Amino acid sequence: MGEFSKFEVVLFLFLGLVTSTHADHGLRMDYYNKTCPNATNIVHDYIINHLPSGTPTAAASLLRLFFHDCFVEGCDGSVLLDSTHSPESNKTEKTSPINLSLKGFDIINSVKSKLEKECPGVVSCADTLALATRAAIFAIGGPHWEVPCGRKDGTKSNDKDPLKFLPFPTDNITTLERKFKDKGLNSADLVLLSAAHTIGRAACTSCTNRLYNFTGKGDQDPGLNRTYAIELKHKCPKINSTFKITMDPGSEKNKFDLSYYENVIQHKGLFGSDAALVTDPKTKSVIEQLLADVSGETFKQRFAEAMVKMGNIEVKTGSAGQVRKNCAFVN
């Protein structure tokens, strides 16, 4: 056998680390090899072939959906559950104020339907969401990462929980780091996963406080780039709270790239939580390291690693959960 290249050695070590991490959480790359060998291909092909024109929007929706799922009850598909009215009333995570703008449920339901036809009762909704998110990000030029499977679907979903665990657009760096640490993620993961804001749109209401009433005295956030603030005020006047704006205006056609970090460094982050990333030397240093590689390859590799970590948050395996036949309801 010939000598390994430097790249091959690094890749081998990285994959070895990832494999070890997966095993620790009870997830495996070969989980569906015997029970549903085409599972990954079914999900990937649906995303690639059925969402060609709206993929950037779909990618943003699925990435946000996956994030909101994993941070509440772990990556168990609990965010996909509908509220019930009988025999016992239960308001689920979907109805929480912070989740009312979530989208992508129809995509997951469609993919799950195809999986049920191929392998009834085998592939969980939690794994379906993880695989679909990866495929959607890859489809818009983002990285491809290994998705170990074996997540089971949870049976609990409460509308109060998202407000307890999810980061808010107005959170400062201390709060953000605490919320990520509570889920086993560090400051670098916070920076990397914030790159989700390089795609998709947000309602003007998510930033109007920074434009018109930052301290409650009708003022503007002094940390917001003045030129960018003028642009935002033009798009988001006080009287219009329903209009949506691009979270990363510098990213051409919602491309998955470094533009988000370039904006943040220039104090052009849309949310207060974006601006917070440059207020801590640790998180600011991570951004500078990512921007140092203008090719964006370092960013894509590290983002992929962060997605693997997030996908392992509080997963339910074995008898700890179930495989829901319909993602909206408990069996």
Side-chain angles (χ1 to χ4, degrees):
M1 184 185 299
E3 257 186 310
F4 284 120
S5 69
K6 182 178 179 182
F7 171 78
E8 289 171 326
V9 172
V10 172
L11 180 62
F12 176 79
L13 292 174
F14 169 66
L15 291 177
L17 173 62
V18 171
T19 301
S20 174
T21 303
H22 296 169
D24 290 342
H25 290 83
L27 305 180
R28 305 196 319 268
M29 290 304 306
D30 62 350
Y31 188 81
Y32 294 118
N33 278 12
K34 294 182 179 180
T35 56
C36 193
N38 290 324
T40 300
N41 289 335
I42 290 172
V43 176
H44 182 81
D45 290 348
Y46 182 87
I47 296 298
I48 299 298
N49 297 326
H50 289 74
L51 305 170
S53 60
T55 299
T57 300
S61 298
L62 291 178
L63 183 53
R64 186 168 180 240
L65 194 59
F66 187 44
F67 184 95
H68 281 228
D69 182 42
C70 291
F71 264 66
V72 182
E73 290 293 324
C75 307
D76 68 345
S78 57
V79 74
L80 305 173
L81 286 168
D82 282 349
S83 298
T84 58
H85 302 289
S86 62
E88 183 179 347
S89 179
N90 174 55
K91 290 186 177 181
T92 61
E93 295 168 33
K94 274 187 180 181
T95 65
S96 178
I98 197 173
N99 281 343
L100 293 178
S101 60
L102 286 179
K103 297 180 179 179
F105 298 105
D106 56 332
I107 299 174
I108 298 303
N109 290 338
S110 295
V111 177
K112 173 63 172 173
S113 178
K114 288 188 172 295
L115 290 168
E116 283 297 304
K117 289 180 180 179
E118 177 83 7
C119 315
V122 174
V123 183
S124 68
C125 296
D127 278 345
T128 301
L129 177 55
L131 290 167
T133 301
R134 187 267 304 273
I137 294 299
F138 179 70
I140 62 167
H144 184 279
W145 60 91
E146 300 293 348
V147 177
C149 293
R151 300 169 186 79
K152 291 297 177 63
D153 298 322
T155 57
K156 173 188 174 185
S157 185
N158 188 286
D159 66 326
K160 302 295 191 299
D161 290 340
L163 297 176
K164 297 177 184 177
F165 302 110
L166 285 170
F168 281 72
T170 54
D171 283 344
N172 59 32
I173 193 64
T174 302
T175 301
L176 289 170
E177 290 181 329
R178 174 181 58 77
K179 288 181 177 180
F180 272 68
K181 183 178 180 181
D182 287 346
K183 298 301 174 182
L185 303 175
N186 57 34
S187 297
D189 297 321
L190 164 60
V191 173
L192 291 159
L193 293 174
S194 292
H197 296 167
T198 197
I199 52 176
R201 299 184 302 164
C204 282
T205 50
S206 61
C207 67
T208 47
N209 69 306
R210 299 186 71 199
L211 298 174
Y212 302 110
N213 200 29
F214 185 62
T215 64
K217 300 179 180 179
D219 55 344
Q220 178 180 299
D221 182 353
L224 185 61
N225 180 284
R226 292 185 179 181
T227 302
Y228 185 48
I230 293 173
E231 294 176 9
L232 288 176
K233 286 181 177 179
H234 177 71
K235 296 175 181 177
C236 298
K238 290 182 180 180
I239 58 173
N240 187 349
S241 60
T242 59
F243 190 74
K244 289 191 174 183
I245 51 177
T246 302
M247 289 190 288
D248 179 5
S251 188
E252 182 181 356
K253 296 182 179 179
N254 278 320
K255 187 177 179 181
F256 200 82
D257 56 21
L258 288 168
S259 178
Y260 167 74
Y261 296 118
E262 295 169 350
N263 288 339
V264 170
I265 284 291
Q266 297 172 32
H267 303 285
K268 295 181 180 180
L270 181 64
F271 307 131
S273 57
D274 296 326
L277 298 179
V278 295
T279 63
D280 184 326
K282 296 193 300 294
T283 49
K284 184 177 181 180
S285 175
V286 174
I287 294 175
E288 292 170 342
Q289 291 169 24
L290 296 174
L291 288 174
D293 180 3
V294 295
S295 71
E297 291 307 310
T298 297
F299 157 57
K300 289 182 178 181
Q301 178 185 333
R302 295 189 65 183
F303 177 82
E305 294 172 19
M307 286 297 292
V308 172
K309 287 182 67 175
M310 186 175 77
N312 284 335
I313 294 177
E314 299 167 15
V315 293
K316 297 172 177 62
T317 58
S319 60
Q322 61 180 221
V323 175
R324 297 202 294 267
K325 296 179 181 179
N326 184 319
C327 293
F329 305 101
V330 172
N331 291 343

PDB file of all heavy atoms in Angstrom, residues 13 49 69 77 91 101-102 113 116 124 181 185 188 198 212 220 247 254 257 261 276 284 296:
ATOM      1  N   LEU A  13      -8.472  10.449  10.467  1.00  0.00           N
ATOM      2  CA  LEU A  13      -8.562  10.763  11.892  1.00  0.00           C
ATOM      3  C   LEU A  13      -9.897  11.391  12.231  1.00  0.00           C
ATOM      4  O   LEU A  13     -10.511  11.082  13.259  1.00  0.00           O
ATOM      5  CB  LEU A  13      -7.417  11.708  12.295  1.00  0.00           C
ATOM      6  CG  LEU A  13      -6.011  11.093  12.255  1.00  0.00           C
ATOM      7  CD1 LEU A  13      -4.967  12.182  12.524  1.00  0.00           C
ATOM      8  CD2 LEU A  13      -5.879   9.967  13.269  1.00  0.00           C
ATOM      9  N   ASN A  49     -34.527  16.224  -6.286  1.00  0.00           N
ATOM     10  CA  ASN A  49     -35.354  16.179  -7.491  1.00  0.00           C
ATOM     11  C   ASN A  49     -36.696  16.896  -7.394  1.00  0.00           C
ATOM     12  O   ASN A  49     -37.253  17.309  -8.413  1.00  0.00           O
ATOM     13  CB  ASN A  49     -35.612  14.724  -7.896  1.00  0.00           C
ATOM     14  CG  ASN A  49     -34.332  14.005  -8.260  1.00  0.00           C
ATOM     15  OD1 ASN A  49     -33.411  14.596  -8.807  1.00  0.00           O
ATOM     16  ND2 ASN A  49     -34.258  12.710  -7.937  1.00  0.00           N
ATOM     17  N   ASP A  69     -35.835  21.419  16.710  1.00  0.00           N
ATOM     18  CA  ASP A  69     -36.144  20.095  17.240  1.00  0.00           C
ATOM     19  C   ASP A  69     -35.081  19.661  18.241  1.00  0.00           C
ATOM     20  O   ASP A  69     -35.389  19.253  19.359  1.00  0.00           O
ATOM     21  CB  ASP A  69     -36.230  19.076  16.101  1.00  0.00           C
ATOM     22  CG  ASP A  69     -36.600  17.684  16.591  1.00  0.00           C
ATOM     23  OD1 ASP A  69     -37.485  17.576  17.468  1.00  0.00           O
ATOM     24  OD2 ASP A  69     -36.027  16.699  16.106  1.00  0.00           O
ATOM     25  N   GLY A  77     -37.742  14.491  16.869  1.00  0.00           N
ATOM     26  CA  GLY A  77     -38.935  14.759  16.069  1.00  0.00           C
ATOM     27  C   GLY A  77     -40.105  15.319  16.850  1.00  0.00           C
ATOM     28  O   GLY A  77     -41.216  15.389  16.323  1.00  0.00           O
ATOM     29  N   LYS A  91     -51.015  20.986  23.934  1.00  0.00           N
ATOM     30  CA  LYS A  91     -50.450  21.919  22.978  1.00  0.00           C
ATOM     31  C   LYS A  91     -48.966  21.578  22.803  1.00  0.00           C
ATOM     32  O   LYS A  91     -48.220  21.540  23.768  1.00  0.00           O
ATOM     33  CB  LYS A  91     -50.619  23.361  23.457  1.00  0.00           C
ATOM     34  CG  LYS A  91     -52.060  23.853  23.426  1.00  0.00           C
ATOM     35  CD  LYS A  91     -52.131  25.326  23.775  1.00  0.00           C
ATOM     36  CE  LYS A  91     -53.564  25.844  23.666  1.00  0.00           C
ATOM     37  NZ  LYS A  91     -53.657  27.297  23.972  1.00  0.00           N
ATOM     38  N   SER A 101     -43.575  30.419  13.110  1.00  0.00           N
ATOM     39  CA  SER A 101     -43.113  30.704  11.749  1.00  0.00           C
ATOM     40  C   SER A 101     -42.317  29.551  11.139  1.00  0.00           C
ATOM     41  O   SER A 101     -41.781  29.674  10.032  1.00  0.00           O
ATOM     42  CB  SER A 101     -42.255  31.976  11.740  1.00  0.00           C
ATOM     43  OG  SER A 101     -41.125  31.826  12.581  1.00  0.00           O
ATOM     44  N   LEU A 102     -42.226  28.438  11.840  1.00  0.00           N
ATOM     45  CA  LEU A 102     -41.507  27.286  11.304  1.00  0.00           C
ATOM     46  C   LEU A 102     -42.190  26.751  10.051  1.00  0.00           C
ATOM     47  O   LEU A 102     -43.417  26.705   9.959  1.00  0.00           O
ATOM     48  CB  LEU A 102     -41.427  26.165  12.344  1.00  0.00           C
ATOM     49  CG  LEU A 102     -40.465  26.348  13.521  1.00  0.00           C
ATOM     50  CD1 LEU A 102     -40.554  25.147  14.457  1.00  0.00           C
ATOM     51  CD2 LEU A 102     -39.036  26.540  13.041  1.00  0.00           C
ATOM     52  N   SER A 113     -43.662   9.764   3.926  1.00  0.00           N
ATOM     53  CA  SER A 113     -44.641   8.950   3.212  1.00  0.00           C
ATOM     54  C   SER A 113     -43.956   7.991   2.244  1.00  0.00           C
ATOM     55  O   SER A 113     -44.334   6.818   2.125  1.00  0.00           O
ATOM     56  CB  SER A 113     -45.613   9.858   2.447  1.00  0.00           C
ATOM     57  OG  SER A 113     -46.539   9.098   1.706  1.00  0.00           O
ATOM     58  N   GLU A 116     -42.308   5.239   4.220  1.00  0.00           N
ATOM     59  CA  GLU A 116     -43.282   4.270   4.725  1.00  0.00           C
ATOM     60  C   GLU A 116     -43.700   3.283   3.642  1.00  0.00           C
ATOM     61  O   GLU A 116     -43.948   2.111   3.914  1.00  0.00           O
ATOM     62  CB  GLU A 116     -44.514   4.995   5.282  1.00  0.00           C
ATOM     63  CG  GLU A 116     -44.306   5.607   6.657  1.00  0.00           C
ATOM     64  CD  GLU A 116     -44.012   4.555   7.721  1.00  0.00           C
ATOM     65  OE1 GLU A 116     -44.828   3.623   7.886  1.00  0.00           O
ATOM     66  OE2 GLU A 116     -42.947   4.652   8.353  1.00  0.00           O
ATOM     67  N   SER A 124     -37.421   6.423  11.428  1.00  0.00           N
ATOM     68  CA  SER A 124     -38.046   7.390  12.334  1.00  0.00           C
ATOM     69  C   SER A 124     -38.168   8.765  11.694  1.00  0.00           C
ATOM     70  O   SER A 124     -37.444   9.106  10.754  1.00  0.00           O
ATOM     71  CB  SER A 124     -37.228   7.510  13.626  1.00  0.00           C
ATOM     72  OG  SER A 124     -35.974   8.126  13.365  1.00  0.00           O
ATOM     73  N   LYS A 181     -24.131  25.605  25.804  1.00  0.00           N
ATOM     74  CA  LYS A 181     -23.419  24.736  26.739  1.00  0.00           C
ATOM     75  C   LYS A 181     -24.365  23.730  27.376  1.00  0.00           C
ATOM     76  O   LYS A 181     -24.006  22.569  27.587  1.00  0.00           O
ATOM     77  CB  LYS A 181     -22.742  25.573  27.829  1.00  0.00           C
ATOM     78  CG  LYS A 181     -21.910  24.747  28.803  1.00  0.00           C
ATOM     79  CD  LYS A 181     -21.226  25.631  29.831  1.00  0.00           C
ATOM     80  CE  LYS A 181     -20.393  24.794  30.796  1.00  0.00           C
ATOM     81  NZ  LYS A 181     -19.730  25.656  31.822  1.00  0.00           N
ATOM     82  N   LEU A 185     -22.804  21.927  23.558  1.00  0.00           N
ATOM     83  CA  LEU A 185     -22.136  22.623  22.466  1.00  0.00           C
ATOM     84  C   LEU A 185     -21.296  23.777  23.004  1.00  0.00           C
ATOM     85  O   LEU A 185     -21.655  24.399  24.010  1.00  0.00           O
ATOM     86  CB  LEU A 185     -23.173  23.154  21.467  1.00  0.00           C
ATOM     87  CG  LEU A 185     -24.106  22.099  20.854  1.00  0.00           C
ATOM     88  CD1 LEU A 185     -25.167  22.764  19.986  1.00  0.00           C
ATOM     89  CD2 LEU A 185     -23.322  21.083  20.032  1.00  0.00           C
ATOM     90  N   ALA A 188     -17.477  27.692  19.771  1.00  0.00           N
ATOM     91  CA  ALA A 188     -17.221  27.521  18.339  1.00  0.00           C
ATOM     92  C   ALA A 188     -18.465  26.984  17.640  1.00  0.00           C
ATOM     93  O   ALA A 188     -18.806  27.418  16.532  1.00  0.00           O
ATOM     94  CB  ALA A 188     -16.039  26.581  18.123  1.00  0.00           C
ATOM     95  N   THR A 198     -27.126  32.539   6.952  1.00  0.00           N
ATOM     96  CA  THR A 198     -26.653  32.937   5.625  1.00  0.00           C
ATOM     97  C   THR A 198     -27.686  32.617   4.557  1.00  0.00           C
ATOM     98  O   THR A 198     -27.535  33.003   3.395  1.00  0.00           O
ATOM     99  CB  THR A 198     -25.308  32.238   5.279  1.00  0.00           C
ATOM    100  OG1 THR A 198     -24.700  32.932   4.187  1.00  0.00           O
ATOM    101  CG2 THR A 198     -25.510  30.787   4.893  1.00  0.00           C
ATOM    102  N   TYR A 212     -35.548  50.956  16.188  1.00  0.00           N
ATOM    103  CA  TYR A 212     -36.407  52.042  16.659  1.00  0.00           C
ATOM    104  C   TYR A 212     -36.558  52.174  18.181  1.00  0.00           C
ATOM    105  O   TYR A 212     -37.021  53.207  18.654  1.00  0.00           O
ATOM    106  CB  TYR A 212     -37.812  51.868  16.061  1.00  0.00           C
ATOM    107  CG  TYR A 212     -37.835  51.852  14.558  1.00  0.00           C
ATOM    108  CD1 TYR A 212     -38.119  50.674  13.865  1.00  0.00           C
ATOM    109  CD2 TYR A 212     -37.559  53.005  13.814  1.00  0.00           C
ATOM    110  CE1 TYR A 212     -38.145  50.652  12.476  1.00  0.00           C
ATOM    111  CE2 TYR A 212     -37.580  52.981  12.429  1.00  0.00           C
ATOM    112  CZ  TYR A 212     -37.873  51.807  11.755  1.00  0.00           C
ATOM    113  OH  TYR A 212     -37.901  51.790  10.381  1.00  0.00           O
ATOM    114  N   GLN A 220     -31.725  53.796  18.405  1.00  0.00           N
ATOM    115  CA  GLN A 220     -31.192  52.744  17.541  1.00  0.00           C
ATOM    116  C   GLN A 220     -30.018  52.072  18.229  1.00  0.00           C
ATOM    117  O   GLN A 220     -29.285  52.693  19.013  1.00  0.00           O
ATOM    118  CB  GLN A 220     -30.723  53.381  16.226  1.00  0.00           C
ATOM    119  CG  GLN A 220     -30.098  52.402  15.233  1.00  0.00           C
ATOM    120  CD  GLN A 220     -29.666  53.115  13.975  1.00  0.00           C
ATOM    121  OE1 GLN A 220     -30.482  53.711  13.270  1.00  0.00           O
ATOM    122  NE2 GLN A 220     -28.364  53.093  13.687  1.00  0.00           N
ATOM    123  N   MET A 247     -31.925  37.484   5.531  1.00  0.00           N
ATOM    124  CA  MET A 247     -31.061  37.537   6.716  1.00  0.00           C
ATOM    125  C   MET A 247     -29.618  37.853   6.348  1.00  0.00           C
ATOM    126  O   MET A 247     -28.882  38.450   7.137  1.00  0.00           O
ATOM    127  CB  MET A 247     -31.133  36.208   7.479  1.00  0.00           C
ATOM    128  CG  MET A 247     -32.457  35.986   8.179  1.00  0.00           C
ATOM    129  SD  MET A 247     -32.440  34.568   9.315  1.00  0.00           S
ATOM    130  CE  MET A 247     -32.417  33.204   8.143  1.00  0.00           C
ATOM    131  N   ASN A 254     -28.961  33.323  -1.996  1.00  0.00           N
ATOM    132  CA  ASN A 254     -29.036  32.430  -0.838  1.00  0.00           C
ATOM    133  C   ASN A 254     -27.964  31.347  -0.854  1.00  0.00           C
ATOM    134  O   ASN A 254     -28.186  30.222  -0.417  1.00  0.00           O
ATOM    135  CB  ASN A 254     -30.422  31.772  -0.748  1.00  0.00           C
ATOM    136  CG  ASN A 254     -31.437  32.680  -0.101  1.00  0.00           C
ATOM    137  OD1 ASN A 254     -31.133  33.369   0.868  1.00  0.00           O
ATOM    138  ND2 ASN A 254     -32.641  32.696  -0.637  1.00  0.00           N
ATOM    139  N   ASP A 257     -22.403  30.388   2.084  1.00  0.00           N
ATOM    140  CA  ASP A 257     -21.028  30.859   1.984  1.00  0.00           C
ATOM    141  C   ASP A 257     -20.609  31.655   3.214  1.00  0.00           C
ATOM    142  O   ASP A 257     -21.293  31.645   4.238  1.00  0.00           O
ATOM    143  CB  ASP A 257     -20.855  31.702   0.719  1.00  0.00           C
ATOM    144  CG  ASP A 257     -21.848  32.869   0.658  1.00  0.00           C
ATOM    145  OD1 ASP A 257     -22.369  33.267   1.715  1.00  0.00           O
ATOM    146  OD2 ASP A 257     -22.104  33.381  -0.453  1.00  0.00           O
ATOM    147  N   TYR A 261     -20.545  35.815   7.903  1.00  0.00           N
ATOM    148  CA  TYR A 261     -19.488  36.222   8.834  1.00  0.00           C
ATOM    149  C   TYR A 261     -18.880  37.567   8.448  1.00  0.00           C
ATOM    150  O   TYR A 261     -18.499  38.364   9.321  1.00  0.00           O
ATOM    151  CB  TYR A 261     -18.398  35.153   8.893  1.00  0.00           C
ATOM    152  CG  TYR A 261     -18.887  33.836   9.452  1.00  0.00           C
ATOM    153  CD1 TYR A 261     -18.860  32.678   8.687  1.00  0.00           C
ATOM    154  CD2 TYR A 261     -19.393  33.754  10.751  1.00  0.00           C
ATOM    155  CE1 TYR A 261     -19.317  31.473   9.185  1.00  0.00           C
ATOM    156  CE2 TYR A 261     -19.852  32.552  11.261  1.00  0.00           C
ATOM    157  CZ  TYR A 261     -19.814  31.417  10.481  1.00  0.00           C
ATOM    158  OH  TYR A 261     -20.282  30.226  10.983  1.00  0.00           O
ATOM    159  N   ALA A 276     -23.918  39.845  18.777  1.00  0.00           N
ATOM    160  CA  ALA A 276     -23.299  39.379  20.016  1.00  0.00           C
ATOM    161  C   ALA A 276     -22.043  38.553  19.770  1.00  0.00           C
ATOM    162  O   ALA A 276     -21.155  38.480  20.624  1.00  0.00           O
ATOM    163  CB  ALA A 276     -24.307  38.550  20.819  1.00  0.00           C
ATOM    164  N   LYS A 284     -15.417  35.831  18.453  1.00  0.00           N
ATOM    165  CA  LYS A 284     -14.886  36.696  17.394  1.00  0.00           C
ATOM    166  C   LYS A 284     -13.672  36.054  16.738  1.00  0.00           C
ATOM    167  O   LYS A 284     -13.498  36.113  15.515  1.00  0.00           O
ATOM    168  CB  LYS A 284     -14.512  38.069  17.957  1.00  0.00           C
ATOM    169  CG  LYS A 284     -14.049  39.061  16.882  1.00  0.00           C
ATOM    170  CD  LYS A 284     -13.752  40.433  17.478  1.00  0.00           C
ATOM    171  CE  LYS A 284     -13.324  41.397  16.377  1.00  0.00           C
ATOM    172  NZ  LYS A 284     -13.025  42.758  16.919  1.00  0.00           N
ATOM    173  N   GLY A 296     -13.565  29.202   1.772  1.00  0.00           N
ATOM    174  CA  GLY A 296     -14.752  28.764   2.481  1.00  0.00           C
ATOM    175  C   GLY A 296     -14.733  27.294   2.855  1.00  0.00           C
ATOM    176  O   GLY A 296     -15.666  26.793   3.515  1.00  0.00           O
TER     177      GLY A 296
END
